[in-house]
Amino acid sequence: MTSLKNELVGTWKLLSYIEVPIAGDDSLFPMGKTPYGLLMYTTDGYMSVQISKDNRLPYKSDDKLLASPEEMTSSLQGYIAFCGKFKVDNSSAIVTYTVESSLFPNWKNKIQRRKIDFEGDILYLKSTEAILSNGVYVNSYMTWQKTDRSTDDALAARVRRELAV
């Protein structure tokens, strides 16, 4: 029997991110309907996730520390990132994250849990506890697809060729 940890190890691309209010209201798309994200799990028990909204405001300055309040708000509200250690409980199919660093400082040194489900190379993660998001308690639902190195390498080679022209 393969452990769930072995199934998780690798890099995953985000397909969808939806928040469902626990009060039963309509689903929310806090990162828009076409977010970009990567989720990585390592063999030594570390993880990292980054999710970004597709239409964050670019800064007028090329200096990452010189942004207008509007640019900073767009940047912060349009991005989720944290990393830390992870453990998997095979019997309950739950992955537990011990957050060591986070863009949202309140998550540092906190625990987050996700219910795991697989369908081929698709990973479904659902929060096990509701979180507060824009004033509403929600459960998050994320769908990820395992990356295919050959496809990624071909895309990178094409980008390098286009940049060389």
Side-chain angles (χ1 to χ4, degrees):
M1 178 178 158
T2 303
S3 77
L4 290 175
K5 179 180 178 184
N6 290 340
E7 295 292 320
L8 287 175
V9 167
T11 303
W12 301 82
K13 288 185 180 181
L14 184 66
L15 298 178
S16 69
Y17 174 58
I18 300 168
E19 292 181 346
V20 178
I22 62 172
D25 297 329
D26 289 340
S27 296
L28 308 169
F29 299 87
M31 296 293 132
K33 294 205 176 178
T34 56
Y36 179 78
L38 287 176
L39 170 61
M40 294 180 230
Y41 294 101
T42 65
T43 55
D44 59 349
Y46 283 89
M47 61 76 59
S48 177
V49 63
Q50 300 204 27
I51 300 171
S52 66
K53 200 176 223 181
D54 61 351
N55 59 353
R56 294 183 307 147
L57 287 177
Y59 290 11
K60 290 178 182 145
S61 170
D62 285 333
D63 186 331
K64 69 180 183 282
L65 298 178
L66 294 179
S68 70
E70 183 181 54
E71 292 165 342
M72 282 295 221
T73 298
S74 173
S75 183
L76 181 61
Q77 290 180 345
Y79 211 89
I80 298 170
F82 66 88
C83 62
K85 295 179 182 173
F86 79 97
K87 287 186 196 176
V88 178
D89 182 330
N90 284 317
S91 62
S92 63
I94 290 179
V95 60
T96 300
Y97 304 133
T98 303
V99 179
E100 294 181 4
S101 180
S102 175
L103 180 64
F104 180 51
N106 296 24
W107 285 353
K108 185 177 179 183
N109 299 321
K110 300 288 188 299
I111 299 293
Q112 292 202 12
R113 292 179 183 82
R114 305 286 186 271
K115 180 73 173 159
I116 304 168
D117 196 13
F118 289 100
E119 191 173 302
D121 68 344
I122 303 296
L123 168 64
Y124 301 98
L125 293 176
K126 176 193 181 257
S127 58
T128 61
E129 298 99 15
I131 63 164
L132 197 55
S133 179
N134 201 27
V136 177
Y137 281 97
V138 300
N139 283 311
S140 65
Y141 293 81
M142 297 181 193
T143 305
W144 302 88
Q145 184 171 31
K146 191 91 174 227
T147 60
D148 176 346
R149 183 179 276 306
S150 62
T151 302
D152 289 345
D153 289 346
L155 177 61
R158 189 180 87 215
V159 168
R160 281 193 301 274
R161 282 192 306 273
E162 289 174 3
L163 290 174
V165 172

